[in-house]
Every structure is written in C-alpha cells, then in structure tokens.
Amino acid sequence: MSVFLTARRVKSTPPANLLNREAFDQALTDIEAIGDPVARDKAARALQAALTEAIAEPLTRTKAVRQMGVLQLRRNHTLAEIAAMYDLSIGRVDQLAKGE
C-alpha cells in the first residue's frame, strides 16, 4: 500500500526510495486506483511534488560536479579544446563553467 493511496494519507512523507522505478510504479498504480477524481488528483500532485523534491538535490550536485570538471580543465585548456573533449558547443562549455 502506497502512502498516496488515500486522500487522508496524501500529505504523508513519500517513500525514501521513490526514485526506485518499482517504488514509483507502485505509487503511480496506487494513485490510478483511487476512485475519487479529486483525491486522485491530490495524490498525483503529491507524487509530483515528492519527485521534484527528491531529484532537486541530486541535480544540484551533478551540476556542481560538471562545473568543477570544466573549471579544472580551464586551467590548461581553451573553451574550444574542452568543447571538443566533451563533444559540446563552446557556448555550452562556457555555460557549464559559469554554473548554468
């Protein structure tokens, strides 16, 4: 039984393993089984919010890792050289260097 199964439990803390495909599929299956459209929508919105929250920190960290790599290479290489190494445009490498 998913935390999203009933309207009363919609505001419950999502499972820690929500990014696990099986956990996500189960949560979505449970939401789809909710008969009341309003409760189903609330549960779906709660799942979306939980996914957004779950992915925010890993996305921030991976962005920082990419920026660090480009900045390390910038010490000894031009943007064009780094772009060739990464198979990206010069503009995109510049964006990565700026943390964008």
Side-chain angles (χ1 to χ4, degrees), residues 7 12 17 20 25 34 39 41 43 47 50 59 61 72 74 77 94:
S12 298
N17 64 344
N20 172 288
D25 286 343
I34 297 172
D41 179 69
L47 179 60
L59 283 176
R61 288 179 61 194
Q72 282 179 307
R74 274 301 274 146
H77 299 279
D94 188 44

Side-chain angles (χ1 to χ4, degrees), residues 18-19 22 27 31 36 44-45 52-53 57 74 96-97:
L18 191 57
L19 293 179
E22 286 182 22
I31 290 170
D36 176 44
R45 282 187 287 145
T52 299
E53 184 178 325
E57 194 265 339
R74 274 301 274 146
L96 287 171

Side-chain angles (χ1 to χ4, degrees), residues 73-93:
L73 290 171
R74 274 301 274 146
R75 294 180 200 153
N76 301 310
H77 299 279
T78 66
L79 288 175
E81 290 170 336
I82 298 168
M85 290 179 216
Y86 279 47
D87 195 26
L88 296 172
S89 70
I90 294 170
R92 181 64 186 128
V93 171

